[in-house]
Amino acid sequence: YRSGRQAEALAVYADTRRLLADELGVDPCPELSELQQRILQADTGLAAVPDPSQDHTCPFVRPAQLPARVAHFTGRAGLTAGLRSQLTAARGGAPVISAIAGIGGVGKTSLAVHVAHAVRPHFPDGQLYVDLQGAGPGPAEPDAVLGAFLRAMGAADSEIPGNAGERSALYRSFLADRRVLVLLDNARDAAQIRPLLPGAEGCAAIVTSRSRLFDLENVRLVDLDVLDPDEALALFTGIVGAERAGVEREAALDTVAACGFLPLAIRIAAARLAARTTWTVAHLARRLADERRRLDELHAGDLAVEATFDLGYHHLEPGQARAFRLLGLPDGPDLSLPAAAALLDLDTDAAEDVLESLVDTSLLESAAPGRYRLHDLVRLYARARAEREEPRAARGAAMSRLLDFYLATAARAYALDRPSDRLGHHLEPVPASGLSFPGVRQATDWLLTEVSCLLGCVRQQARGDTLRRSVDLLFVVKDLAENGMGRRLYGQVAEAVLEAAREAGDPRAEGRAHTILAYHHGLAARFARAEEHARRAVLLGTATADPLALCQASNLRGSLATWLKRPEEAEGHLATALRGFRADGNLPGEASALSNLSRAQLDMGRPDLAAELAERALARYEAAGPSWRRANALYAYGIALTESGRPEEAVRRLTDALAVFQAGRQRWWEGMTAWRLTMAQLASGDPAAAARHAELALTVLRDLGDDLRSAHVLTLLGRALALLGQEGRARACWRDALAAYERLGAAERSEVRELLAERSSR
């Protein structure tokens, strides 16, 4: 009628009256009959189009749709304060929009509802809420949500347009000049929520989503992480009760850690415990300790962690889903982009695209540029998916590619640091080329960054046709045992690899594993264990004609015999090592054996020969090419010069060595050299400098858990302090050294007893 088509308008009325009579047997309602009469009379009042912002047929109704606060809401104080500040701040004409993103179960809705209740007084015209079902198979349609919102604010059905764009315009008109808070929970993407956002200043919206809605305009993004340990424990305690959780605090901490500090998982675990009065917290912790059953345990009623992850997983494209599954296979804490590319068999650009798309869904986290990680429970879920959906051969191939990448890259780093070293020629061949580095520092940075990932891969792959490559990777990264990074983990993985080699009946792999363990225990002054491993390594290296195990283990046996004050025996082992290194053309190996032989000559009372051998070792290192290993010869040379009565020259050599070790971040060698500098400076009559270097050595060696050598340093520090007139501190050092020697059963305890007795008699 308003378009000037009176006859057609009356025809619509006639069709409607006929339909009502035929289908329902009723007449049109009075309002419709009245409209027909007004059309027949050409009522001028029908010509004006009503303005919904000025003249509602129904008065505005103040909505109050917020869900109840979540019980036992815990932590998030900083985020809560930040969101409150954002939502209540003026934005210069624009509405405030805060979007909270995170993995399923991290507590996005709980936080949003908690904050919404906290800011209610700032939105006196009401609060709207909708669950958009964005993670489910049937996300809510925006026009249906708009209709529900309009009805909640008092619009009659007859006022609500059928067109989605008109509904959105009417919705914004309703909110104009009002202060309403809109909570859009569980959004799928920006397209779903864009029509639902208020358009005027004074209103605000909180959005929760598993996806990062970076394509929304004027939005403040909040990435929600898991709880910290104290918050997680507080949540668990609030549900199960302070008495139960307090009595078994350690078990409670183990439980929340097994839950990955994920709020949903903690709530489920706590609810199960609260419903089972006969269970102890320790019993629940033991059940959750089994990684293969952990997701099954985190299920209570209609709540389940696995079901929550299912919702996100089923939205992935096939390429994303495959990548997600394979990313769950490695045990390491995270993956670099190049490592992930090797695992997925993609080039780095393609790998980055798929990884970043998974980050946007919150199934994957980007811990730092170029590094990615899965939450612990998400990793278990991804791995379970891989075991169900990826053939065994595909899983094995992915992990084999990752191992090859690590081995190839580590071998390059090793070769860069040790030019002319022959170790790379005795490794299992791999098809991967690995990363290249512009210099030694960058190679060392990579090694220190990847320590946990490398060792995790070795532990996982020490079996079947990847056993030998795993052993070789452990051999190539042996610097990890020297610089203190991951030393304990390195030893644990080496023990596991040795056991795997024994079970596989592979004598070559076993010989190399024994060599690795001999090296590891020797660094920690566990000489008896180191010697037994070295002995087994020599036997197996001889039986398998493996120059790597034979030469390296013989060199180690010589070094160990020197430490155990058996110089003649050391000389024999080192002669074997020298012959082997020379036959292999390994100049750095030959230099190492000469350095150790220098030490043996000192113990046999031949300081001049010791100095000569150290000089020869230095020449071999220099002939091999630039490497920090040259400092090993300087170290041996410094010891020989000290024993030869040339302490000033020894100080210069050892100072040079210390600078090299510190620059190369070789922590163990830094501590050892500082100890030897202490000896040289005491011999040169400089107790103050000796005390300073003793303090450095003590700090480093204690940090590395080297109790025996720490006791040696304490003895020297006591001597330096006594010369400086600090008798009390000197005696304290000797008492600590004596306690350590007695605990270790070391022969040096008699020397320290004499020092203490001498001071007591004065």
Side-chain angles (χ1 to χ4, degrees):
Y1 175 73
R2 287 173 179 152
S3 301
R5 293 150 60 189
Q6 183 188 41
E8 289 179 62
L10 291 170
V12 170
Y13 172 79
D15 290 343
T16 304
R17 184 179 63 178
R18 188 165 45 253
L19 182 65
L20 289 170
D22 293 345
E23 297 291 336
L24 301 175
V26 298
D27 291 328
C29 66
E31 292 86 354
L32 188 57
S33 296
E34 180 188 352
L35 177 62
Q36 183 217 19
Q37 290 301 312
R38 294 178 69 186
I39 292 172
L40 286 169
Q41 297 166 6
D43 186 341
T44 57
L46 292 178
V49 179
D51 183 348
S53 67
Q54 302 298 326
D55 183 25
H56 300 302
T57 56
C58 295
F60 180 81
V61 176
R62 178 180 175 276
Q65 296 185 335
L66 292 181
R69 294 176 186 262
V70 176
H72 310 295
F73 183 83
T74 303
R76 313 294 198 192
L79 282 174
T80 299
L83 285 167
R84 288 181 63 174
S85 176
Q86 289 177 19
L87 293 166
T88 57
R91 289 293 296 274
V96 179
I97 304 168
S98 295
I100 305 170
I103 62 172
V106 79
K108 300 181 295 295
T109 299
S110 297
L111 175 62
V113 170
H114 181 77
V115 171
H117 277 283
V119 299
R120 278 183 65 184
H122 294 273
F123 300 96
D125 294 316
Q127 305 85 40
L128 293 166
Y129 170 83
V130 64
D131 181 355
L132 294 170
Q133 304 288 328
E141 293 297 331
D143 58 341
V145 175
L146 286 168
F149 277 177
L150 289 167
R151 281 188 288 272
M153 291 185 290
D157 285 346
S158 59
E159 288 187 291
I160 300 174
N163 179 278
E166 292 179 358
R167 284 189 178 191
S168 184
L170 181 59
Y171 166 67
R172 289 193 295 272
S173 296
F174 260 85
L175 296 181
D177 300 320
R178 293 192 169 95
R179 297 182 64 82
V180 175
L181 176 66
V182 184
L183 176 45
L184 305 173
D185 193 20
N186 200 13
R188 180 168 187 173
D189 52 31
Q192 185 190 31
I193 65 170
R194 201 171 275 119
L196 308 178
L197 295 173
E201 183 181 13
C203 293
I206 307 175
V207 184
T208 73
S209 176
R210 298 189 184 201
S211 299
R212 288 167 173 80
L213 304 175
F214 52 83
D215 48 346
L216 274 181
E217 300 78 15
N218 300 318
V219 66
R220 294 184 177 181
L221 300 175
V222 175
D223 282 329
L224 190 60
D225 204 349
V226 296
L227 298 171
D228 67 38
D230 289 338
E231 292 173 337
L233 184 60
L235 175 59
F236 182 80
T237 301
I239 298 172
V240 305
E243 183 176 352
R244 252 175 125 176
V247 170
E248 297 181 87
R249 177 180 170 81
E250 290 302 318
L253 286 169
D254 290 342
T255 298
V256 297
C259 292
F261 308 110
L262 189 72
L264 175 64
I266 295 168
R267 288 182 180 278
I268 292 172
R272 292 192 70 196
L273 184 64
R276 292 162 173 80
T277 57
T278 59
W279 281 18
T280 63
V281 183
H283 176 73
L284 174 63
R286 284 193 295 272
R287 294 176 72 94
L288 292 173
D290 183 354
E291 287 191 349
R292 298 194 67 83
R293 288 191 47 79
R294 188 175 297 167
L295 290 176
D296 295 332
E297 292 290 338
L298 294 173
H299 182 285
D302 62 349
L303 292 177
V305 170
E306 186 169 10
T308 298
F309 295 158
D310 278 340
L311 293 173
Y313 176 74
H314 289 308
H315 283 305
L316 298 179
E317 299 293 332
Q320 290 177 309
R322 172 186 175 270
F324 174 72
R325 293 191 296 268
L326 295 182
L327 289 169
L329 296 177
D331 276 344
D334 61 3
L335 278 177
S336 67
L337 174 58
L343 178 79
L344 302 177
D345 199 18
L346 297 172
D347 63 54
T348 52
D349 289 340
E352 185 174 32
D353 288 344
V354 72
L355 293 171
E356 289 296 329
S357 72
L358 289 172
V359 170
D360 291 338
T361 68
S362 296
L363 283 171
L364 185 66
E365 301 172 33
S366 181
R371 297 201 74 84
Y372 301 89
R373 69 185 178 199
L374 293 169
H375 180 273
D376 290 346
L377 294 179
V378 177
R379 176 185 284 108
L380 296 180
Y381 174 82
R383 186 174 296 178
R385 279 280 173 187
E387 290 172 352
R388 290 197 296 268
E389 299 175 33
E390 293 286 338
R392 181 187 294 272
R395 300 198 307 270
M399 288 300 293
S400 181
R401 289 193 299 270
L402 180 63
L403 176 64
D404 288 349
F405 165 78
Y406 282 142
L407 179 54
T409 304
R412 280 192 165 195
Y414 186 96
L416 191 63
D417 197 27
R418 297 170 174 82
S420 303
D421 194 297
R422 295 280 298 171
L423 181 138
H425 296 273
H426 302 300
L427 302 176
E428 285 288 297
V430 296
S433 57
L435 299 177
S436 58
F437 304 101
V440 174
R441 185 169 189 82
Q442 292 81 359
T444 304
D445 287 342
W446 178 85
L447 183 63
L448 298 182
T449 301
E450 298 290 348
V451 52
S452 297
C453 301
L454 290 167
L455 296 179
C457 186
V458 169
R459 189 194 291 270
Q460 275 187 286
Q461 296 297 96
R463 62 178 186 273
D465 61 358
T466 56
L467 170 62
R468 287 193 173 186
R469 281 177 282 157
S470 299
V471 176
D472 285 355
L473 176 54
L474 198 59
F475 214 120
V476 171
V477 300
K478 65 178 184 175
D479 281 357
L480 294 173
E482 283 188 1
N483 60 32
M485 289 291 294
R487 175 184 281 194
R488 180 174 298 179
L489 179 60
Y490 184 89
Q492 292 170 352
V493 172
E495 293 284 0
V497 167
L498 175 60
E499 185 60 31
R502 284 170 172 162
E503 290 179 1
D506 187 334
R508 198 191 81 163
E510 185 181 347
R512 294 188 178 188
H514 276 298
T515 307
I516 292 164
L517 280 165
Y519 185 68
H520 170 71
H521 289 302
L523 290 174
R526 295 187 288 266
F527 298 129
R529 294 171 69 181
E531 190 175 32
E532 178 56 25
H533 283 297
R535 186 186 67 81
R536 291 287 302 154
V538 169
L539 291 174
L540 290 165
T542 302
T544 58
D546 179 13
L548 193 57
L550 179 59
C551 297
Q552 297 280 359
S554 296
N555 194 23
L556 283 168
R557 290 193 78 181
S559 176
L560 291 167
T562 299
W563 277 106
L564 294 169
K565 305 301 181 185
R566 302 199 299 258
E568 291 81 5
E569 182 183 330
E571 190 175 32
H573 293 311
L574 292 169
T576 300
L578 272 171
R579 287 193 298 272
F581 284 131
R582 284 169 179 160
D584 194 34
N586 192 334
L587 279 177
E590 187 181 344
S592 175
L594 286 169
S595 295
N596 289 328
L597 190 57
S598 168
R599 293 278 314 285
Q601 296 302 324
L602 278 179
D603 290 341
M604 288 189 284
R606 303 167 185 164
D608 293 337
L609 179 56
E612 178 189 337
L613 289 168
E615 283 189 287
R616 288 167 56 189
L618 188 59
R620 295 292 192 281
Y621 276 126
E622 289 173 346
S627 170
W628 67 263
R629 287 287 166 181
R630 172 178 175 275
N632 290 122
L634 291 172
Y635 171 85
Y637 198 16
I639 296 172
L641 290 169
T642 302
E643 295 293 326
S644 301
R646 296 149 65 188
E648 291 81 6
E649 190 177 349
V651 168
R652 289 195 297 273
R653 296 291 186 172
L654 290 168
T655 300
D656 290 345
L658 181 62
V660 174
F661 289 135
Q662 288 175 328
R665 288 169 286 181
Q666 296 298 322
R667 290 278 288 162
W668 187 79
W669 282 111
E670 179 187 359
M672 293 292 287
T673 308
W675 167 35
R676 298 299 185 177
L677 258 172
T678 302
M679 299 174 67
Q681 285 162 335
L682 279 173
S684 66
D686 190 353
R692 288 196 300 272
H693 281 107
E695 294 283 3
L696 171 61
L698 198 59
T699 299
V700 173
L701 295 173
R702 277 180 168 170
D703 187 49
L704 296 176
D706 195 332
D707 294 339
L708 179 62
R709 296 184 181 101
S710 295
H712 295 338
V713 175
L714 278 168
T715 304
L716 292 176
L717 178 57
R719 290 184 181 276
L721 292 171
L723 289 171
L724 293 170
Q726 300 179 35
E727 288 288 338
R729 290 185 62 198
R731 284 194 295 271
C733 289
W734 291 329
R735 283 194 294 270
D736 288 347
L738 180 59
Y741 284 143
E742 288 181 338
R743 186 174 67 254
L744 297 169
E748 289 86 352
R749 59 182 180 267
S750 58
E751 174 192 348
V752 180
R753 283 200 195 101
E754 290 176 6
L755 286 169
L756 285 168
E758 180 184 339
R759 286 306 188 277
S760 298
S761 64
R762 288 184 179 181

